[in-house]
């Protein structure tokens, strides 16, 4: 470890686990500070506290004590975690149950830790995250205890006009239509969760839900559209506006990041202008890409939404989750649902439930039917990519490693294929050909075409640095393009056809962190940066960009919300701590026509078999709290 990662004050078990690379300096410092504040010296308790801090840094809401020693270290680590002096679980639990850090004391009411017993075992929380999780539980339970009053006949009529058969628009869509079910649930529940993979029509459904609720309200509905990132908010806004005219919706519907919607106030004690004391003004709040929403942000959102406002949480629970603690969407979709017995909802979805199985999708099983009645619907009929990509995505999502490898190694490589990392012929050809087409359009001043060609191919990496990282492979790709074009290229000078990735937001320019664009030559010979905004093209002088970098490759995390005709996915070896089912699924579902995986069958199997398990209590039944 580096000196920065080593805690100079660490002693005993904290020092041992810090030296081994299990704990970072921050983990040790927090545990040491709690030791002095709470008068706690038991080494097993302080180790548990440090591991709880580490768990939050790694994305969990709490520490699952049944799995406290399941530690994944960096791929370059030489330490075997199983050889470390892990305390016995009984010893840790005994120490925690009598610790003043859990129980407080007569002289100190500080209780920075919470020990929670659940039906699946004990969890150790930092108190802040326990309270946030309990707030989410409470608010969702309260919102589920009542239902909006609606005219079932009027809603049913509106559903029939909004959801039409794709082949014959004179007829209503054929049951079971999960998009129609989602709209019926949104009309009859205060909270609705719409889950689904890319191309399943989530925003198509959202636009029709807004139209349905507008018809029901009899007056202009106040609609708040939001997403975790500026890029995702812009895409949501574009998608809804594209459908506005046909659905008689206002053309000026706009979306914002969650921070902007809630009124982020840096330095303020309340942090957000809108909170439980100053609610959001909207009648309907739609949050897209909810898989990227952290526990803390979900708590703040739920506190700010009016009790009589409908809330639509939309996203893909199988994608990569928030960079902060929590996997809230996956938890909410996966938790047991208590059937609420809403008679109007039951009436509106009865035909779809009675229809059984559509030939193109699986039957609605008992668990899914219960979730539907609880306001949760999963859209399943993908329309964005071909059958082989869809099959591969399903195999990865369901943890079927053998099927995933079988599909990748099949003779028909038109849609999906697997290649050794050394076999870069296809990657080289696609990178160079895409650059040729983008540069030709950029030189001609055709910004729209250059942006279109930019989506022909993208190289995705799990890591940012190292032999399988973006830094190395982006340089290699630039060298290939430079050699093919016969001109030297550098990231320090602008040139026509240069692909760009924005790394910070500029709301005035409508440029957001994660946006991709391209440098084009204008009619007067000047160079400018072009970005797509729906069917529009935004032109910005390069010197006005908030922050941007050349992007011949990007991380899979960065690619969320984007689509490309062909995606080349560079998988790291099995020792990588980033390799997971969610990572591979996210990468695969970025492609429209072809997925090229660069790796080994073993790395694919390892990725599919390794699910990111972010510990939380949202899916569990709490039996006791200490």
């Amino acid at each position: 470890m580096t000196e920065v990662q080593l805690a100079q004050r660490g002693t005993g078990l904290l020092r041992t686990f810090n030296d081994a690379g299990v704990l970072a300096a921050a983990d040790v410092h927090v545990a040491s500070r709690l030791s002095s504040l709470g008068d706690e010296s038991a080494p097993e308790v302080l180790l548990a506290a440090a591991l709880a801090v580490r768990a939050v840094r790694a994305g969990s809401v709490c520490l699952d004590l049944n799995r406290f020693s399941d530690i994944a270290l960096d791929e370059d680590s030489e330490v075997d975690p199983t050889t470390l002096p892990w305390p016995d679980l009984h010893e840790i639990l005994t120490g925690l149950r009598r610790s003043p850090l859990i129980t407080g004391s007569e002289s100190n009411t500080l209780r920075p830790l919470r020990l929670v017993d659940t039906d699946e075992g004990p969890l150790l929380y930092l108190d802040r995250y326990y309270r946030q999780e309990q707030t989410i539980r409470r608010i969702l339970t309260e919102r589920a205890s009542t239902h909006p009053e609606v005219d079932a006949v009027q809603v049913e009529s509106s559903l029939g006009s909004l959801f039409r058969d794709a082949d014959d628009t004179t007829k209503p869509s054929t049951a079971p239509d999960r998009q129609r079910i989602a709209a019926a649930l949104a009309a009859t529940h205060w909270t609705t969760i719409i889950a689904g993979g890319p191309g399943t029509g989530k925003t198509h459904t959202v636009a029709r839900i807004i139209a349905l609720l507008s018809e029901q309200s009899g007056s202009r509905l106040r609609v708040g559209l939001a997403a975790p990132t500026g890029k995702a908010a812009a895409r949501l806004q574009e998608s809804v506006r594209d459908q506005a005219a046909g659905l008689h919706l206002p053309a000026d519907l706009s979306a914002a990041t969650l921070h902007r919607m809630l009124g982020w106030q840096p330095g303020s004690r309340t942090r957000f202008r809108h909170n439980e004391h100053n609610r959001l003004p909207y009648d309907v709040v739609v949050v897209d890409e909810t898989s990227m929403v952290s526990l803390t942000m979900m708590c703040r959102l739920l506190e700010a939404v009016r009790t009589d406002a409908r809330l639509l949480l939309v996203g893909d629970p199988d994608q990569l989750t928030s960079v902060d603690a929590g996997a809230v969407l996956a938890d909410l979709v996966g938790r047991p649902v208590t059937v609420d017995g809403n008679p109007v909802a039951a009436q509106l979805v009865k035909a779809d439930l009675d229809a059984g199985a559509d030939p193109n999708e699986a039957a609605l099983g008992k668990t899914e039917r219960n979730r539907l009645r609880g306001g949760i619907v999963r859209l399943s009929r993908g329309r964005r990519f071909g059958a082989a990509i869809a099959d591969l995505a399903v195999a990865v999502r369901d943890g079927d490693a053998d099927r995933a490898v079988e599909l990748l190694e099949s003779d028909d490589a038109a849609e999906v294929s697997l290649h050794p990392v050394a076999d870069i012929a296809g990657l080289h050809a696609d990178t160079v050909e895409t650059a040729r087409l983008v540069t030709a359009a950029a030189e001609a001043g055709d910004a729209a075409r250059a942006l279109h060609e930019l989506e022909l191919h993208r190289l995705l990496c799990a890591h940012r640095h190292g032999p399988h990282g973006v830094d190395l492979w982006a340089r290699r790709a630039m060298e290939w393009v430079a050699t093919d074009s016969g001109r030297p290229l550098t990231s320090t000078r602008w040139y026509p056809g240069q692909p760009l990735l924005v790394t910070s937001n500029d709301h005035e320019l409508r440029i957001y962190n994660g946006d991709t664009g391209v440098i084009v030559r204008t009619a007067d010979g000047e160079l400018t940066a072009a970005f797509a905004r729906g069917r529009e093209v935004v032109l910005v002088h390069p010197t006005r960009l908030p922050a941007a970098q050349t992007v011949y490759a990007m991380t899979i995390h960065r690619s969320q919300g984007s689509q490309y005709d062909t995606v080349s996915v560079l998988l790291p070896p099995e020792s990588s701590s980033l390799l997971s089912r969610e990572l591979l699924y996210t990468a695969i579902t970025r492609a429209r026509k072809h997925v090229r995986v660069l790796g080994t069958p073993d790395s694919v199997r390892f990725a599919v078999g390794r699910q990111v398990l972010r510990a939380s209590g949202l899916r569990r039944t709490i039996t006791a709290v200490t």
Side-chain angles (χ1 to χ4, degrees):
M1 297 183 70
T2 67
E3 292 183 5
V4 174
Q5 294 170 306
L6 287 172
Q8 301 303 318
R9 294 165 54 196
T11 59
L13 285 178
L14 293 180
R15 182 71 186 193
T16 300
F17 282 79
N18 184 210
D19 289 341
V22 171
L23 299 177
D27 310 328
V28 176
H29 288 315
V30 171
S32 299
R33 184 61 175 159
L34 292 179
S35 172
S36 60
L37 290 174
D39 193 23
E40 174 59 80
S41 59
E44 67 277 4
V45 172
L46 297 180
L47 176 62
L51 290 173
V53 177
R54 182 191 191 277
V56 171
R57 284 197 304 104
S60 290
V61 174
C62 54
L63 176 66
D64 185 343
L65 289 170
N66 279 338
R67 302 176 58 247
F68 74 95
S69 61
D70 293 348
I71 297 294
L73 299 180
D74 293 336
E75 59 182 309
D76 58 351
S77 174
E78 298 179 357
V79 175
D80 180 359
T82 62
T83 64
L84 295 172
W86 295 99
D88 179 73
L89 175 58
H90 176 73
E91 182 183 3
I92 290 179
L93 287 172
T94 300
L96 286 172
R97 294 192 193 282
R98 66 188 181 204
S99 172
L101 297 179
I102 295 286
T103 63
S105 64
E106 293 183 4
S107 61
N108 191 343
T109 58
L110 177 71
R111 294 179 62 192
L113 303 178
R114 292 287 184 122
L115 181 61
V116 177
D117 291 319
T118 75
D119 56 343
E120 297 179 27
L123 303 174
L124 181 64
Y125 287 83
L126 301 179
D127 183 63
R128 167 189 171 186
Y129 295 97
Y130 170 77
R131 287 185 283 109
Q132 288 177 356
E133 192 175 273
Q134 290 304 102
T135 297
I136 291 173
R137 282 177 179 268
R138 173 182 58 80
I139 293 176
L140 289 177
T141 299
E142 291 173 353
R143 290 178 63 84
S145 65
T146 63
H147 306 104
E149 293 185 6
V150 297
D151 184 331
V153 175
Q154 187 181 6
V155 171
E156 193 164 15
S157 174
S158 297
L159 290 172
S161 63
L162 288 168
F163 295 91
R164 312 300 293 177
D165 188 277
D167 299 321
D168 185 355
T169 56
T170 64
K171 300 178 181 179
S173 58
T174 304
D177 182 344
R178 299 188 191 205
Q179 294 183 354
R180 184 175 61 212
I181 292 173
L185 295 179
T188 54
H189 291 73
W190 293 121
T191 306
T192 306
I193 299 174
I194 304 174
T200 52
K202 295 188 294 295
T203 51
H204 172 89
T205 305
V206 164
R208 277 151 183 76
I209 290 174
I210 296 172
L212 170 66
L213 297 177
S214 295
E215 290 180 13
Q216 302 301 306
S217 69
S219 59
R220 175 154 181 169
L221 207 65
R222 291 170 295 179
V223 180
L225 303 176
T229 66
K231 177 182 177 181
R235 287 182 178 272
L236 173 61
Q237 175 177 299
E238 293 159 13
S239 178
V240 172
R241 285 187 177 183
D242 283 348
Q243 303 172 71
L247 297 172
H248 307 293
L249 296 175
D252 60 349
L253 284 173
S254 60
T257 64
L258 280 170
H259 278 80
R260 282 175 67 86
M261 172 183 276
L262 293 173
W264 172 247
Q265 303 176 112
S268 167
R269 289 183 64 186
T270 56
R271 293 300 179 99
F272 292 107
R273 185 172 67 256
H274 293 291
N275 48 54
E276 66 269 34
H277 306 297
N278 180 30
R279 303 295 181 103
L280 289 165
Y282 304 112
D283 303 306
V284 180
V285 175
V286 179
V287 181
D288 197 15
E289 297 289 358
T290 309
S291 64
M292 292 191 284
V293 178
S294 68
L295 180 88
T296 299
M297 183 55 74
M298 182 61 72
C299 178
R300 300 295 173 250
L301 171 68
L302 290 175
E303 288 174 330
V305 175
R306 295 197 336 250
T307 57
D308 61 344
R310 287 177 174 85
L311 174 63
L312 275 65
L313 302 177
V314 185
D316 186 350
D318 301 305
Q319 279 192 171
L320 289 165
T321 52
S322 165
V323 295
D324 296 319
V328 183
L329 181 64
D331 283 339
L332 295 182
V333 171
R335 68 176 181 164
V337 174
T338 301
V339 179
D340 61 13
N342 184 337
V344 178
Q347 176 184 337
L348 291 172
V349 302
K350 184 176 186 301
D352 290 281
L353 293 175
D354 291 346
D358 184 296
N360 297 316
E361 57 182 90
L364 301 174
K366 180 179 179 181
T367 299
E368 184 174 9
R369 287 168 182 255
N370 284 345
R371 287 185 180 140
L372 291 177
R373 297 184 180 105
I376 302 171
V377 60
R378 183 187 279 270
L379 307 182
S380 61
R381 190 184 302 170
R383 298 168 174 84
R384 184 171 292 174
F385 33 63
I389 296 176
D391 289 346
L392 178 60
V394 169
V396 172
R397 184 195 69 194
D398 294 346
D400 190 343
D402 290 339
R403 177 60 176 160
V405 172
E406 177 188 351
L407 287 165
L408 286 167
E409 292 184 329
S410 64
D411 294 333
D412 181 13
E415 285 191 42
V416 298
S417 57
L418 178 64
H419 307 265
V421 175
D423 180 8
I424 60 172
L427 169 61
H428 179 279
D430 280 343
T431 300
V432 169
E433 180 59 21
T434 298
R436 286 176 187 167
L437 295 171
V438 172
T439 302
E443 288 282 13
D446 191 341
R449 183 161 62 91
L451 289 166
H452 178 267
E453 307 290 14
L454 194 64
E455 295 188 349
L456 292 177
H457 173 260
R458 181 54 47 91
L459 170 60
L460 303 179
C461 303
H463 289 265
R464 190 176 303 278
H465 309 293
H468 298 86
V470 167
D471 291 349
L472 173 63
W473 285 87
R475 287 197 302 271
R476 294 186 69 178
M478 180 181 282
E479 291 169 0
W480 298 339
V481 173
T483 300
D484 180 73
S485 64
R487 58 176 179 171
L489 301 178
T490 173
S491 298
T492 60
R493 296 185 62 183
W494 308 115
Y495 56 89
Q498 183 177 9
L500 300 176
L501 173 68
V502 176
T503 55
S504 65
N505 294 327
D506 190 316
H507 297 281
E508 182 180 347
L509 294 175
R510 294 196 297 159
I511 303 296
Y512 304 104
N513 186 3
D515 279 348
T516 53
V518 62
I519 297 293
V520 299
R521 192 183 299 281
T522 60
D524 58 5
E526 293 292 321
L527 297 180
T528 190
F531 298 89
R533 280 289 167 266
R535 296 185 179 89
E536 300 178 10
V537 173
V538 176
L539 298 178
V540 181
H541 194 278
T543 58
R544 295 188 63 198
L545 291 176
Q549 61 190 45
T550 305
V551 57
Y552 285 105
M554 68 166 51
T555 63
I556 297 171
H557 279 81
R558 279 279 193 187
S559 72
Q560 290 190 90
S562 300
Q563 288 289 310
Y564 306 94
D565 285 357
T566 297
V567 166
S568 295
V569 185
L570 185 66
L571 287 186
E574 300 91 293
S575 57
S576 169
S577 60
L578 295 181
L579 195 58
S580 69
R581 181 184 306 176
E582 291 82 357
L583 187 88
L584 183 56
Y585 171 86
T586 302
I588 289 167
T589 53
R590 299 310 94 204
R592 299 188 189 100
K593 298 179 180 179
H594 183 219
V595 175
R596 175 189 297 113
V597 176
L598 299 169
T600 65
D602 285 344
S603 62
V604 172
R605 285 192 172 89
F606 187 87
V608 174
R610 183 184 182 191
Q611 192 170 11
V612 175
L613 297 175
R614 290 193 165 188
S616 84
L618 277 178
R619 299 192 192 198
R620 306 189 186 195
T621 300
I622 293 178
T623 56
V625 180
T626 305

